[in-house]
Amino acid sequence: MKYYFIWLMSILMIETSYGQNKLPIDETSGKVVFKKTSTVILPRSEMYKRTRNWLLYQYATSKFEDHFNISKKGKPVYLAEDSRMRSISGKYGFYVMYPVEDLSGLNMEQTFVMYTLTVNFKDSAFETKISDLKCFTTSTSRNGMRPPQFDLETYNSVQLNRLDHVQQYIIPQVMNSVRKIHEDLYRNIRYGNLTSE
């Protein structure tokens, strides 16, 4: 009976470890990368123009430059443009929030995820790539054990990935934020600049 119980617990532990959510990893770089290709029946130059306007709007309405000094005279320092209108990229970010227990009860902690968005254009199609994801946290994280800056793929590590707040809050919020970025950009490319007044 004792061996049966040990065998059953082993199977349950193996099944639980396989059922956990993980962030997608690029096989070549070993880093978290999100890619999506979309079809839009527009010339490359028009897709480029609409994407550029969207990127500038996203940057102007964010408050991330206040914290990370990524602007110079109101213009993004990191907005790489291709003169042939084949690609454009910019650095942006989003927040994830999750509950943390400490001596005072249930508190929320906020992590800022900065990423690089690169959009490559072809006639009637474009590919988005979200990469270089970095997390920034407050220095008051649990006993100061976690560094204030780390790569997003850290959440795929065995120690962190099995934690409830990573499975229930962080990974789903990251996936949802990436989905929203893709959808918002797609709408703006397809229907024109929906963000301007």
Side-chain angles (χ1 to χ4, degrees):
M1 182 72 173
K2 183 163 104 175
Y3 294 111
Y4 176 74
F5 179 73
I6 292 171
W7 175 78
L8 184 62
M9 290 305 290
S10 301
I11 289 177
L12 287 174
M13 287 176 64
I14 291 170
E15 283 186 20
T16 324
S17 65
Y18 285 119
Q20 292 183 342
N21 296 325
K22 290 204 172 208
L23 297 163
I25 298 289
D26 179 55
E27 291 179 13
T28 310
S29 66
K31 300 284 187 184
V32 173
V33 175
F34 297 92
K35 289 183 182 178
K36 184 168 184 174
T37 303
S38 303
T39 303
V40 178
I41 309 300
L42 283 172
R44 185 173 56 200
S45 60
E46 184 62 24
M47 286 191 290
Y48 180 90
K49 183 178 116 187
R50 291 178 182 187
T51 302
R52 186 179 187 280
N53 288 339
W54 182 80
L55 287 170
L56 291 172
Y57 177 81
Q58 294 298 317
Y59 181 82
T61 57
S62 73
K63 301 199 186 237
F64 303 137
E65 70 274 8
D66 298 340
H67 304 290
F68 297 100
N69 300 318
I70 56 174
S71 68
K72 198 178 229 182
K73 297 180 183 174
K75 218 176 167 198
V77 169
Y78 191 81
L79 182 66
E81 300 182 63
D82 178 20
S83 59
R84 294 182 180 174
M85 298 185 183
R86 291 188 179 161
S87 70
I88 189 169
S89 64
K91 217 174 217 13
Y92 300 92
F94 55 85
Y95 288 100
V96 293
M97 295 184 73
Y98 51 93
V100 184
E101 288 187 43
D102 60 10
L103 296 174
S104 65
L106 189 63
N107 292 319
M108 296 298 281
E109 188 164 316
Q110 191 174 42
T111 297
F112 174 68
V113 181
M114 183 177 272
Y115 62 90
T116 301
L117 172 64
T118 305
V119 186
N120 296 307
F121 303 98
K122 297 177 182 173
D123 287 325
S124 302
F126 67 95
E127 179 192 60
T128 55
K129 177 182 169 187
I130 296 174
S131 60
D132 192 28
L133 292 107
K134 303 261 183 228
C135 298
F136 297 86
T137 62
T138 58
S139 56
T140 58
S141 62
R142 292 186 188 170
N143 302 324
M145 296 296 287
R146 188 177 56 208
Q149 178 182 344
F150 55 94
D151 294 332
L152 186 67
E153 47 272 3
T154 305
Y155 287 119
N156 278 349
S157 69
V158 175
Q159 296 86 357
L160 286 179
N161 190 260
R162 64 185 170 87
L163 299 175
D164 288 340
H165 73 277
V166 172
Q167 288 295 311
Q168 294 175 11
Y169 295 96
I170 295 175
I171 292 178
Q173 284 183 56
V174 166
M175 302 297 272
N176 193 41
S177 295
V178 167
R179 181 187 56 77
K180 284 181 179 177
I181 293 164
H182 287 302
E183 288 175 358
D184 194 34
L185 178 59
Y186 174 79
R187 274 194 307 272
N188 275 268
I189 290 176
R190 182 169 181 186
Y191 299 113
N193 192 2
L194 302 175
T195 55
S196 66
E197 299 169 22

